[in-house]
Amino acid sequence: MNAACLIVYASMTGNTEELAQSIGKGICQAGGTVEIKDILEADVKDLKNYDGILLGSYTWGDGDLADEFLDFYEEMDGLDLTGKIAAAFGSCDSTYEHRGRAVDILSDKLLELGADVVADGLKIDLAPTDSEIEQCTQFGEYFVKNHMRGVS
């Protein structure tokens, strides 16, 4: 199996970037390939070139998508992601009423564009602990092993 995955993330403090790197590690451990891009280096057209898509963002303010992600998010409109396997993740803060809402916003957008969102959004509070880093690695492994079988 050589499931090609793309992780696109926005990170202000480095927490979501750390999640992205750990998920990518899990994808590789499960036999997939992964390209990890900061949102500012990503092109929305890239989403069409991968079997698996993972989008990550921290939640800003009281439940908003990261400012850096807004243009990319709007440019996604009209994309057909039918047949793509997808999931969302992000860092958040449980002290806010809408904990990790950016993850939900990204999951909803992926569904709206026809992607097969195969996992509940992964939400990690603030800086990830060692066990949460392991959870992210397992999330990446799960993504490939359970949902990308038969993808060449």
Side-chain angles (χ1 to χ4, degrees):
M1 167 183 21
N2 192 16
C5 300
L6 175 64
I7 298 175
V8 177
Y9 70 91
S11 186
M12 178 186 290
T13 62
N15 294 339
T16 306
E17 180 179 12
E18 192 171 2
L19 304 181
Q21 295 294 335
S22 299
I23 293 168
K25 177 181 174 187
I27 289 170
C28 292
Q29 287 177 354
T33 61
V34 65
E35 184 166 358
I36 302 173
K37 291 187 174 189
D38 181 284
I39 190 66
L40 300 176
E41 300 168 355
D43 186 320
V44 76
K45 292 181 219 110
D46 293 341
L47 299 178
K48 303 283 282 175
N49 300 326
Y50 293 85
D51 306 307
I53 300 165
L54 295 106
L55 301 179
S57 176
Y58 60 91
T59 298
W60 180 248
D62 194 31
D64 298 321
L65 194 59
D67 285 348
E68 306 94 303
F69 222 112
L70 294 177
D71 288 342
F72 189 93
Y73 180 85
E74 289 174 11
E75 289 169 13
M76 289 173 67
D77 286 341
L79 275 182
D80 180 4
L81 298 180
T82 303
K84 304 292 183 186
I85 307 300
F89 65 94
S91 61
C92 46
D93 187 339
S94 60
T95 62
Y96 286 95
E97 179 182 355
H98 301 289
R99 177 185 179 266
R101 187 163 168 260
V103 176
D104 301 332
I105 291 168
L106 292 175
S107 292
D108 290 347
K109 176 62 86 174
L110 289 163
L111 283 169
E112 176 188 318
L113 299 176
D116 185 8
V117 176
V118 296
D120 289 337
L122 178 64
K123 300 176 182 180
I124 303 292
D125 270 8
L126 307 171
T129 63
D130 289 345
S131 65
E132 288 169 332
I133 290 294
E134 181 57 31
Q135 182 183 356
C136 292
T137 303
Q138 290 172 358
F139 185 82
E141 288 179 5
Y142 171 84
F143 185 80
V144 171
K145 286 181 179 177
N146 293 304
H147 299 291
M148 302 199 72
R149 292 185 179 185
V151 175
S152 55

